[in-house]
Amino acid sequence: MADAVRDRPRSDAAAARPAARIGEWWIAAHRLRRNTLSVAGLGILVLWAVIAVAAPAVAPHDPVAVDVTARLRPPGAGHPFGTDFYGRDILSRIVYGARYDLVIGIVAVGIAAGGGTPFGVVAGYYRGYLDDAIMRVCDVLLAFPSLVLALALGAALGPGLWKAVVAVAITSIAGYARLARGSTLVGREETYVEAARAQGASDVRILARYVLPNIVSPIVVRATIGMGFSVLLAASLSFVGLGAQPPTPEWGAMINEGRNQLVTGVWWISTFPGLAIMSVVLGFNLLGDGIRDVLDPRGATRI
Amino acid sequence: MVRRFAAVPPILVGITLVTFLLLHVVPGDPARMYLGEGAQDPGVIAALRHQWGLDRPLPVQYVDYLRNALSGNLGFSIHSGRPVADDLRHYLPATAELSLLSFVIAVVLGIPLGVLSGARVNTATDHASRVGSLLFLSMPSFWFGLIVIYVGYFVLGWLPSPTGRLGMTDTAPPAVTGFFLVDSLLAGDPGAFVRALWYLLPPAFTLALPSLGLVVRMLRGSIVEVLGQDYIRTARSKGAAGWSVLYRHALRNALIPTVTVLGVQFGLLFSGNVLVEAVFSWPGIGAYLVQAITWLDYSAVMGCTLLIAVLFVAVNVLVDLSYAALDPRVTYG
């Protein structure tokens, strides 16, 4: 898919040589498949997606059902990951938590990339005052370390899972805008853009058909790795009580719930959600690495 | 060079604008919150709002906020009962000491590991260091801190208690710089130095891991790329020894992108601190920020945010300058 996306601006010519296109397609898929680590990353994510969708079938218990007779049970028969302070089954909470954490990552990046890219494209294509104004705002947003900006935004918006997602999205919006702007600056100078303009194509058509397809690959690479980072950031907000609220089985909030129990030797409440976060973020990072290698022109020589 | 500096003041103004606006969108009226649930006399609330200047137009309030911030007045902290600026000054040394040490750990461990990994591509060493560095980048540091405390302190008893810079019964060295490592040496007390270092290491190591992972990954990539260059082949063909090629020819060129990343990481250490400090009860800016968030202490939250962002910008400028010193090809117009 990757190479097909990159070649779309040349699609008029490429349509005439489907064999070559299929060939490139195959090479791209082959390269991604040869990268064992990326395939492993994709595998982890697919597994979590399946778990999230099939949560009611996978989870042995109700994730929010309180059972005072089964409080703080260590991992063992009936509760493979143990139970928490309220007797809730940790495994079931992690299974249902996948629904939150995966969606958090995807939605946060969707808002950030979907919101930032148009600004960057417009800034890079039209230049001038508009460009200056948009980039100055980006400079300011990028002047904050993302965790601190997310915490400040989260504090101002108040506690809540979706507010935390918005806070996380705002912190990364400027990065996408700047990336899209850089790619647009290169793209608008291409000969085929000039040719399209000479043929009388409107700005909207040039942007949608010739400029945008070229900036898709860097955005996709950034977005893939960004999803892992967003999951970490949102979990951090939940950990300090700004994100998901109890009894939502969000992984960051679960780590926070188990935090005070560690002193009494109850390690399982915090440990397992942390491993879950780590595996999802690792999956996004591995996949992102692989996609970058495939899409990066320099990577082409390394095959 | 001039242009690099000229870009800074507008960014700083922008930062204060953001923290100001965030202070004003917070849920709840500060006057109402200050008076508590019981006091809902509209006259009293209006009087208080007038006294605090909250009834004036936003731009006027912003100019006031900016003037106050410039003169070091960041408002009053509800949860500590002191001016926010005093609190920040009080907590900054602990944060700076922790950040510096964890940065040193990331560099001292990261550079050799990255070089090793890049020079031995696709060996077991390489695979181990790649997987390890990715894991470090993928885990929540606050979670790893909890694991370190649980295993290292509660189970094994090898590590110090998570009680901050020292144990409950220890006394701090006489304050000169605010850095316990420095102050203990100035006081001529090696025992206190070792004790301070002992308490510093677990949080510093926890904080260092993500940066360490990033350094290893960056440096490995650069080393692999540089080792494929013609001048490396030239050096080899002239008979230079393997280690000499690696350290004298490859490393210097490969380090340039890593230095940039390290610079950004150094600025980020101040923000990575936030949750790690909270987990280790480290009495720094980060733990203060987390407390402020739970107390809905907005002046303190935005004060911390402002300070951390300004430090981040300052560090980035310094990094750009050092980048120019390292690579003569870089100039700032």
Side-chain angles (χ1 to χ4, degrees):
Chain A
M1 185 199 113
D3 277 19
V5 167
R6 197 174 68 203
D7 285 348
R8 216 185 293 155
R10 279 181 269 138
S11 61
D12 296 347
R17 42 187 176 88
R21 233 166 103 197
I22 293 169
E24 285 190 20
W25 228 96
W26 191 83
I27 291 174
H30 182 72
R31 258 196 255 146
L32 190 61
R33 221 177 45 219
R34 267 169 48 115
N35 192 334
T36 325
L37 287 176
S38 302
V39 175
L42 187 62
I44 295 171
L45 294 175
V46 168
L47 184 66
W48 275 119
V50 170
I51 290 175
V53 171
V58 178
H61 300 274
D62 183 335
V64 291
V66 173
D67 179 1
V68 283
T69 62
R71 288 174 54 194
L72 301 173
R73 290 255 175 92
H79 301 286
F81 290 178
T83 62
D84 68 8
F85 187 74
Y86 300 100
R88 298 177 298 204
D89 181 52
I90 301 288
L91 175 63
S92 306
R93 288 177 66 72
I94 287 177
V95 165
Y96 274 89
R99 291 186 161 188
Y100 293 96
D101 282 84
L102 287 186
V103 171
I104 286 168
I106 293 166
V107 171
V109 167
I111 297 174
T117 308
F119 279 109
V121 170
V122 165
Y125 190 74
Y126 290 105
R127 309 299 312 274
Y129 290 120
L130 200 60
D131 184 20
D132 285 342
I134 293 175
M135 281 307 112
R136 288 302 81 77
V137 173
C138 287
D139 285 347
V140 170
L141 285 177
L142 291 170
F144 291 91
S146 37
L147 175 63
V148 173
L149 183 57
L151 286 173
L153 284 166
L157 291 171
L161 180 61
W162 298 109
K163 288 175 183 172
V165 171
V166 170
V168 169
I170 293 175
T171 57
S172 46
I173 212 163
Y176 291 97
R178 195 178 260 187
L179 187 65
R181 174 182 178 268
S183 305
T184 307
L185 281 179
V186 179
R188 72 198 285 268
E189 306 299 335
E190 295 284 357
T191 323
Y192 54 77
V193 170
E194 216 173 295
R197 202 175 288 134
Q199 284 176 347
S202 65
D203 281 353
V204 173
R205 185 177 163 82
I206 291 175
L207 285 176
R209 194 161 159 74
Y210 298 99
V211 176
L212 206 55
N214 262 338
I215 66 173
V216 166
S217 6
I219 298 275
V220 165
V221 172
R222 195 191 177 96
T224 313
I225 294 175
M227 281 182 197
F229 188 67
S230 300
V231 170
L232 275 183
L233 215 48
S236 305
L237 292 195
S238 295
F239 181 68
V240 299
L242 285 175
Q245 299 299 306
T248 311
E250 194 277 332
W251 296 336
M254 288 173 70
I255 298 178
N256 188 28
E257 281 164 20
R259 188 179 161 191
N260 294 329
Q261 309 291 335
L262 280 177
V263 204
T264 54
V266 178
W267 53 271
W268 52 89
I269 305 177
S270 288
T271 304
F272 293 114
L275 290 174
I277 293 176
M278 189 159 87
S279 71
V280 165
V281 179
L282 185 69
F284 280 121
N285 281 338
L286 288 172
L287 183 64
D289 273 4
I291 293 180
R292 184 181 48 215
D293 287 348
V294 169
L295 294 182
D296 182 3
R298 284 192 307 176
T301 56
R302 248 186 264 145
I303 187 172
Chain B
M1 200 80 90
V2 175
R3 203 188 297 164
R4 185 68 185 87
F5 282 117
V8 173
I11 290 180
L12 294 181
V13 171
I15 290 172
T16 56
L17 198 55
V18 170
T19 50
F20 169 78
L21 287 176
L22 286 179
L23 263 177
H24 281 264
V25 300
V26 297
D29 183 346
R32 213 175 279 263
M33 275 175 53
Y34 179 79
L35 293 171
E37 288 298 314
Q40 295 302 349
D41 180 356
V44 177
I45 292 174
L48 201 55
R49 285 178 62 84
H50 182 74
Q51 190 194 328
W52 286 349
L54 292 172
D55 52 352
R56 291 172 309 154
L58 271 189
V60 178
Q61 290 191 45
Y62 173 65
V63 171
D64 256 23
Y65 175 80
L66 193 60
R67 193 180 296 139
N68 280 332
L70 282 176
S71 60
N73 177 4
L74 294 170
F76 201 76
S77 163
I78 306 171
H79 83 276
S80 75
R82 281 188 308 225
V84 173
D86 287 0
D87 280 340
L88 293 180
R89 212 169 292 132
H90 178 71
Y91 290 123
L92 189 59
T95 292
E97 189 171 37
L98 179 58
S99 296
L100 282 171
L101 186 70
S102 86
F103 184 72
V104 169
I105 293 175
V107 172
V108 166
L109 294 181
I111 289 182
L113 269 177
V115 171
L116 200 67
S117 200
R120 298 189 182 166
V121 178
N122 289 330
T123 59
T125 321
D126 181 32
H127 289 313
S129 90
R130 285 183 81 184
V131 171
S133 52
L134 252 182
L135 282 178
F136 293 162
L137 276 173
S138 304
M139 64 195 184
S141 53
F142 57 89
W143 171 77
F144 188 73
L146 289 176
I147 300 289
V148 166
I149 292 169
Y150 179 72
V151 175
Y153 174 68
F154 286 115
V155 177
L156 299 174
W158 292 348
L159 296 179
S161 57
T163 48
R165 302 178 85 179
L166 287 172
M168 297 292 188
T169 52
D170 298 322
T171 46
V176 182
T177 58
F179 284 42
F180 281 9
L181 291 183
V182 179
D183 288 351
S184 59
L185 289 183
L186 287 178
D189 185 350
F193 176 82
V194 171
R195 205 157 47 231
L197 185 64
W198 184 230
Y199 277 87
L200 251 169
L201 279 176
F205 192 74
T206 305
L207 193 55
L209 286 186
S211 312
L212 174 69
L214 207 62
V215 169
V216 171
R217 277 163 60 83
M218 279 297 297
L219 195 55
R220 177 192 179 274
S222 316
I223 291 269
V224 169
E225 204 181 311
V226 168
L227 284 180
Q229 301 285 321
D230 288 342
Y231 60 82
I232 296 294
R233 203 181 319 140
T234 308
R236 285 226 170 98
S237 64
K238 287 200 305 193
W243 63 267
S244 155
V245 171
L246 196 58
Y247 286 96
R248 298 204 10 220
H249 300 262
L251 183 58
R252 189 174 162 140
N253 289 291
L255 263 182
I256 292 169
T258 306
V259 169
T260 314
V261 170
L262 275 178
V264 177
Q265 284 304 300
F266 186 63
L268 285 176
L269 284 176
F270 286 104
S271 78
N273 268 3
V274 173
L275 299 178
V276 173
E277 281 185 7
V279 166
F280 283 91
S281 321
W282 193 261
I285 305 277
Y288 178 70
L289 173 57
V290 170
Q291 256 175 14
I293 288 173
T294 43
W295 276 80
L296 305 178
D297 188 351
Y298 294 110
S299 299
V301 171
M302 296 313 158
C304 290
T305 307
L306 186 63
L307 176 72
I308 293 172
V310 169
L311 284 174
F312 187 47
V313 171
V315 168
N316 281 332
V317 171
L318 287 178
V319 168
D320 282 356
L321 296 182
S322 68
Y323 193 45
L326 192 73
D327 184 352
R329 286 170 301 182
V330 175
T331 52
Y332 293 100

